[in-house]
Amino acid sequence: MLIAAQPFPFEFDLAHSALVIIDMQRDFIEPGGFGESLGNNVALLEAIVPACQAVLHAWRDAGGLVVHTREAHAADLSDCPPAKRLRGNPALRIGDVGPMGRILVAGEPGNQIIPALSPVAGEIVIDKPGKGAFYATGLHESLQQNGISHLVFMGVTTEVCVQTSMREANDRGYDSLLLEDCTESYFPHFKAATVEMLRAQGGIIGWTATSAPLLAALTPSRR
Ligand code: TIU
């Protein structure tokens, strides 16, 4: 498949590609979670959910591999460096009890992927202690076992976990595409800058595109 993208068209074979959905968790998208505890207005992020849902369904229907990530720590916080927990002066810290359970702790209500994008059987779900999806997870090994060379990214936030994951993927040899209308930041100018920097210098980190050409390629009958 070849789709319109920046800085030039993105070519991929569905059998060797994975859709990677970064941290579409209640903690980041709904009031009362980690995102709001850091002082952010979370309303902006909810707006991308329908576009993410359309891509997820089309990718699934086409038989592509799907990976979901969650920023999640063990209940004893043994995988949370003190530097991460103690940084700044947030209303609630990682591990504290908030309105949706303990902040960024695996298994808590706020740590779950939002119902609209819930994983189904056969999809890979990665709990990650860092911002990047590759650090201290088995993601690279899982992708290698599945013969994956190309990644299509969606999720939040653009300049933190999505960008970090794309940079990690780039250094591991993957070709990555970011879907611009399926990612969001609490700071719109950070999203714009991230999109621009990823694809600058001839695609130094990867490609960006809107979801429309991908949907058209995945569902030829809609063309
Ligand atoms: N998933 C993710 O991006 N984690 C963050 O902490 N993002 C912020 O923008 N704070």
Side-chain angles (χ1 to χ4, degrees), residues 3 12 18 20 35 49 54 58 61 80 102 112 122 135 147 160 184 191 198-199 207:
I3 66 166
F12 68 101
V20 183
V49 173
D61 291 349
C80 182
R102 294 182 66 202
Q112 303 310 309
Y135 170 68
V160 183
E184 196 47 86
K191 172 181 170 177
L198 293 173
R199 68 190 187 200
W207 287 255

Side-chain angles (χ1 to χ4, degrees), residues 19-24 48 51-53 55-56 117 152-156 162 177-179 182-183:
L19 177 66
V20 183
I21 309 173
I22 301 287
D23 299 0
M24 290 296 286
I48 65 166
C52 291
Q53 217 172 8
V55 171
L56 173 59
L117 301 172
V152 175
F153 280 89
M154 316 197 290
V156 296
V162 175
L177 171 75
L178 174 64
L179 295 177
C182 299
T183 186

Side-chain angles (χ1 to χ4, degrees), residues 1-53:
M1 294 185 190
L2 185 71
I3 66 166
Q6 296 290 337
F8 47 85
F10 182 73
E11 188 169 16
F12 68 101
D13 172 0
L14 191 63
H16 300 289
S17 303
L19 177 66
V20 183
I21 309 173
I22 301 287
D23 299 0
M24 290 296 286
Q25 298 163 246
R26 300 182 64 200
D27 262 329
F28 295 109
I29 292 169
E30 296 182 9
F34 182 62
E36 193 174 75
S37 81
L38 294 174
N40 299 306
N41 174 5
V42 296
L44 205 56
L45 273 55
E46 204 174 10
I48 65 166
V49 173
C52 291
Q53 217 172 8

